[in-house]
């Protein structure tokens, strides 16, 4: 029997992916941070996290410090 995986929508490309393949983030005050179990979270897919254009769009959308945001994504991608 095949269990269907829960899917979530990536906020950048708006396509659905299995939840366990997505990066889960949240907004803490003004900063986007890794989701820690509290507050409202959102998801970003690996492809978008690696896509410079999409990342730039998110930096603007959430008014993030670009360097810090890119560093955060890189760390998350390296985590596997
Ligand atoms: Zn995406």
């Amino acid at each position: 029997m095949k269990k269907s995986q829960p899917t979530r929508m990536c906020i950048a490309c708006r396509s659905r992916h299995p939840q366990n393949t997505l990066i889960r983030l949240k907004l803490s005050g003004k900063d986007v941070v890794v989701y820690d179990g509290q507050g409202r979270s959102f998801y970003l897919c690996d492809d978008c996290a690696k896509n410079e254009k999409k990342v730039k769009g998110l930096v603007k959308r959430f008014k993030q410090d670009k360097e810090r945001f890119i560093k955060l994504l890189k760390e998350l991608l390296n985590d596997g």
Side-chain angles (χ1 to χ4, degrees), residues 23-38:
I23 294 169
R24 194 172 191 182
L25 300 166
K26 73 165 196 173
L27 211 51
S28 171
K30 287 179 179 173
D31 290 337
V32 173
V33 297
V34 180
Y35 184 64
D36 58 4
Q38 289 187 355

Side-chain angles (χ1 to χ4, degrees), residues 17-56:
H17 301 271
Q19 188 175 358
N20 59 8
T21 68
L22 294 164
I23 294 169
R24 194 172 191 182
L25 300 166
K26 73 165 196 173
L27 211 51
S28 171
K30 287 179 179 173
D31 290 337
V32 173
V33 297
V34 180
Y35 184 64
D36 58 4
Q38 289 187 355
R40 286 190 62 181
S41 65
F42 52 88
Y43 294 89
L44 188 65
C45 72
D46 270 20
D47 286 347
C48 291
K50 290 172 189 161
N51 183 316
E52 210 179 312
K53 253 190 167 177
K54 291 262 166 54
V55 170
K56 269 186 190 170

